[in-house]
Amino acid sequence: MFATSILRSAYPAYKSPYGPKYQYQPHIDGITPKQLYRILPTAAAWGGVALFAVIYYASGIPRVRKDVLQRVPYLGERYFVNEIPASDNPF
């Protein structure tokens, strides 16, 4: 049993010319560039939807409306200005 294992290590491993040609593929934690390019548009779309949802839910907060939404060019000056009518003034 031991003699055969010593003989096997002395010979180089046979590599068939008809077998697959393995090459090194760069990756980060198992994610290759090809997989990244396929996942990136979907992840960007989900991130955009999540950002829209956060802005939509936080648009009722006065601080967010004043500091973030009113500073958006063209839209902030027209849609996010909250003017209270004089009839609603308690004084």
Side-chain angles (χ1 to χ4, degrees):
M1 182 162 112
F2 294 108
T4 56
S5 64
I6 293 172
L7 290 177
R8 284 186 190 165
S9 64
Y11 294 108
Y14 175 73
K15 187 171 183 179
S16 172
Y18 304 107
K21 308 290 189 258
Y22 294 114
Q23 295 178 350
Y24 175 74
Q25 189 170 15
H27 64 88
I28 298 173
D29 288 336
I31 299 176
T32 62
K34 184 177 180 180
Q35 290 174 335
L36 186 65
Y37 290 133
R38 289 179 59 193
I39 293 172
L40 198 61
T42 305
W46 280 103
V49 170
L51 179 65
F52 177 78
V54 167
I55 289 175
Y56 178 75
Y57 288 126
S59 65
I61 302 171
R63 183 73 171 202
V64 173
R65 184 180 295 145
K66 180 181 176 189
D67 290 344
V68 178
L69 298 177
Q70 286 183 358
R71 295 178 190 258
V72 175
Y74 185 72
L75 295 175
E77 301 167 353
R78 295 177 180 222
Y79 298 108
F80 299 113
V81 176
N82 189 13
E83 296 178 3
I84 300 172
S87 61
D88 289 340
N89 192 353
F91 301 107

